[in-house]
Amino acid sequence: VFIACIFPKMDKLIVIIIFTFIIVGIGILRRNFKNKKKLLQEKLNQGFPELWRITLEKRVLFYMQLNKLDRGIFENRIQLFLATKNIEGIDTEVDDTIRLMVASSAIIPTFAFPQYNYPNVQTVLIYPNSFNEKFQTQRYNGHKEFITGMVDGRFQNGTTVILSKPDLIKAFDGFSHKENVGIHEFVHLLDQEDGVVDGIPEALINHQFVGPWLHEIKNEIKRIEKGKSDINPYALTNNAEFLAVVSEYFFSNPEKFKKRHAELYEFLSAIFNQNKIYKP
C-alpha cells in the first residue's frame, strides 16, 4: 500500500513483487545478523588456547604485569578483538603470534575501558617491512622506506590499520622498549574518536583537563628540542604524534617512564585510567 501510494501508476503485480523483495531482504539481513552473533558467541565460548597464553607470557610485558583476574579480562578482550577484526598479511604470512601482537596493541591502551572494541576498524594489514606513502616496501637508492605504521580511513569498509611486521615483532619481544608501532597507531584511533586527531583524546579526557595537558605537552616539547629528554623527537611533529609517541613509551616501559617523566606519567595514567590497573 505504501509503495502504491508513492507510485500510483505502477502495476499492482510489480508493487507486490517489490514489497516481497523488501520483506525477504529484511529477513535475510536479520538471519545473517543472528548467525554472525551466534558464531561470535561460539568463538568466545571456546576458551582461551593455552598456546596463546604462553605467547602472551613470553612476549607481552603489559600482560605479564597483570594479576590473575585482569589476565582473564585481557584474554577475553583479545578473543573479542580477533573474532571481530580481519587481520591479513600483504605478501607476508600472518600466524597466531602476529594476531596476538596486533590484538595486544589494541587492548593495552584501552584495557581500562572494557566495552571498547574499535567500532570503526574492520581490517588490520600486516606488511613485510616498512613502506612509503605509496605503500611500497621495496628499497630505492639503497634507502629503506620509513613508515612502520599507519591509520588509513580511505577504505570503504572503515578504518584500516597498517603495520610493519618486523617492527611489530620487535615491539613484542618480551623486553622493555620506548617504542611500539602497534600501540602508537591504536592510540591515534583513540585520539580520532572525537572526530579530530589532535593529541587531545576528548573521549578519554575531561574538558578541564585539556588546558593542563596542552601545557605539559608544550613543556616537554621544549625539553626535547633542547636535547634534555629521551622521548623520540618524532613527538615534535605535532600534538597527535606527541600523544602517540609518549603513549608507546608509557605502556612499553612504565617504570623508566615514571622515573624520567613523572608529570607526564601522571597525565597519561589519568587519560588511560591506569591508576586502578598497574603502578610501577
Side-chain angles (χ1 to χ4, degrees):
V1 176
F2 175 72
I3 297 176
C5 291
I6 298 177
F7 304 102
K9 295 183 180 181
M10 185 178 291
D11 186 274
K12 290 183 179 179
L13 179 60
I14 296 177
V15 172
I16 293 173
I17 293 174
I18 293 175
F19 185 73
T20 301
F21 271 112
I22 293 174
I23 296 299
V24 171
I26 292 174
I28 292 174
L29 289 174
R30 291 180 65 183
R31 283 196 298 273
N32 287 342
F33 177 78
K34 289 182 178 179
N35 289 337
K36 288 182 179 179
K37 189 174 181 180
K38 182 180 178 181
L39 289 173
L40 174 60
Q41 193 59 50
E42 288 176 353
K43 288 182 179 180
L44 297 179
N45 290 338
Q46 289 176 356
F48 200 79
E50 185 60 29
L51 287 177
W52 288 14
R53 187 172 291 115
I54 293 173
T55 299
L56 293 179
E57 290 173 344
K58 288 182 177 180
R59 291 183 169 273
V60 184
L61 286 176
F62 184 91
Y63 175 84
M64 299 178 202
Q65 295 161 349
L66 298 175
N67 60 39
K68 185 176 181 180
L69 177 61
D70 284 340
R71 283 191 178 194
I73 295 172
F74 193 93
E75 292 170 3
N76 290 338
R77 296 281 303 281
I78 289 284
Q79 283 183 293
L80 178 61
F81 185 90
L82 293 179
T84 56
K85 312 300 180 185
N86 178 39
I87 302 174
E88 58 183 86
I90 303 298
D91 297 326
T92 189
E93 181 183 353
V94 171
D95 57 15
D96 282 350
T97 297
I98 297 298
R99 293 187 180 93
L100 287 170
M101 291 178 182
V102 172
S104 295
S105 300
I107 303 309
I108 288 171
T110 64
F111 187 67
F113 311 97
Q115 303 304 316
Y116 189 79
N117 192 40
Y118 300 91
N120 295 325
V121 176
Q122 299 295 325
T123 303
V124 179
L125 300 179
I126 305 299
Y127 273 51
N129 215 316
S130 53
F131 48 92
N132 61 17
E133 291 86 349
K134 296 181 180 180
F135 304 104
Q136 297 169 320
T137 59
Q138 295 88 350
R139 293 175 179 232
Y140 294 93
N141 300 320
H143 295 290
K144 183 180 178 181
E145 305 307 337
F146 61 93
I147 302 175
T148 60
M150 177 184 291
V151 172
D152 197 328
R154 293 174 294 177
F155 295 86
Q156 292 182 351
N157 62 340
T159 301
T160 297
V161 180
I162 305 172
L163 300 172
S164 161
K165 182 177 179 179
D167 290 281
L168 183 66
I169 292 173
K170 180 181 178 180
F172 288 104
D173 61 0
F175 296 96
S176 298
H177 296 283
K178 292 193 297 181
E179 300 176 0
N180 185 305
V181 63
I183 291 175
H184 184 108
E185 298 308 325
F186 281 102
V187 167
H188 276 320
L189 287 168
L190 291 175
D191 188 10
Q192 192 180 59
E193 275 295 302
D194 59 0
V196 182
V197 184
D198 57 1
I200 307 173
E202 295 184 17
L204 308 179
I205 190 172
N206 293 327
H207 181 70
Q208 65 269 22
F209 198 60
V210 173
W213 169 239
L214 291 175
H215 183 70
E216 181 62 24
I217 291 177
K218 184 178 180 179
N219 288 340
E220 190 61 38
I221 283 177
K222 290 180 180 179
R223 287 189 282 269
I224 298 172
E225 291 174 336
K226 293 178 180 178
K228 296 181 179 181
S229 175
D230 67 338
I231 290 174
N232 189 332
Y234 189 63
L236 299 175
T237 306
N238 52 49
N239 286 354
E241 294 301 343
F242 181 92
L243 173 64
V245 167
V246 297
S247 296
E248 295 178 69
Y249 192 167
F250 172 79
F251 284 111
S252 300
N253 199 337
E255 293 92 347
K256 185 176 181 180
F257 188 83
K258 184 178 183 180
K259 182 178 179 180
R260 297 196 176 187
H261 308 279
E263 292 185 5
L264 259 178
Y265 179 88
E266 293 303 322
F267 273 98
L268 293 177
S269 293
I271 290 173
F272 295 108
N273 198 23
Q274 292 294 294
N275 290 318
K276 296 180 180 180
I277 299 173
Y278 173 63
K279 279 192 175 183

